[in-house]
Amino acid sequence: MCRSIKTLRPPVLPEEATEDEIRAAALQYVRKVSGFRAPAAHNREVFERAVDDIARATAELLDGLEVRGSASKKPPEPAQAS
């Protein structure tokens, strides 16, 4: 695993990951997989698109995860009156 990508979910982070943290992790992933720290001009578009796609997928993943023993992101629904 890429050592500069950090875990972005609670309880490792005290709060939700920011867009900047998610994008930085996506960038590190693309750099690792592609083998390029920065793309050449002719690869820039595909490189940036990959970072955007991975950042979006990461945000969706983090949004959908349920971590046992941690506070829920969503407030509990009110009880129905009988």
Side-chain angles (χ1 to χ4, degrees), residues 2-17:
C2 190
R3 286 177 284 209
S4 38
I5 298 175
K6 63 182 181 175
T7 302
L8 297 177
R9 66 165 179 80
V12 176
L13 286 183
E15 297 182 16
E16 289 185 30

Side-chain angles (χ1 to χ4, degrees), residues 9-10 16 56-68 73-74:
R9 66 165 179 80
E16 289 185 30
R56 188 173 21 264
T58 301
E60 288 176 17
L61 171 68
L62 293 173
D63 240 13
L65 288 177
E66 292 182 29
V67 180
R68 291 183 180 176
K73 291 186 206 179
K74 299 174 187 161

Side-chain angles (χ1 to χ4, degrees), residues 2-74:
C2 190
R3 286 177 284 209
S4 38
I5 298 175
K6 63 182 181 175
T7 302
L8 297 177
R9 66 165 179 80
V12 176
L13 286 183
E15 297 182 16
E16 289 185 30
T18 65
E19 286 183 37
D20 287 343
E21 289 170 321
I22 292 171
R23 182 149 180 89
L27 177 60
Q28 288 300 320
Y29 177 80
V30 172
R31 285 175 172 169
K32 184 70 166 186
V33 170
S34 69
F36 296 112
R37 185 181 184 303
H42 62 277
N43 287 327
R44 187 169 292 123
E45 184 179 332
V46 71
F47 191 93
E48 288 299 320
R49 189 169 52 242
V51 172
D52 292 342
D53 290 347
I54 292 166
R56 188 173 21 264
T58 301
E60 288 176 17
L61 171 68
L62 293 173
D63 240 13
L65 288 177
E66 292 182 29
V67 180
R68 291 183 180 176
S70 68
S72 175
K73 291 186 206 179
K74 299 174 187 161

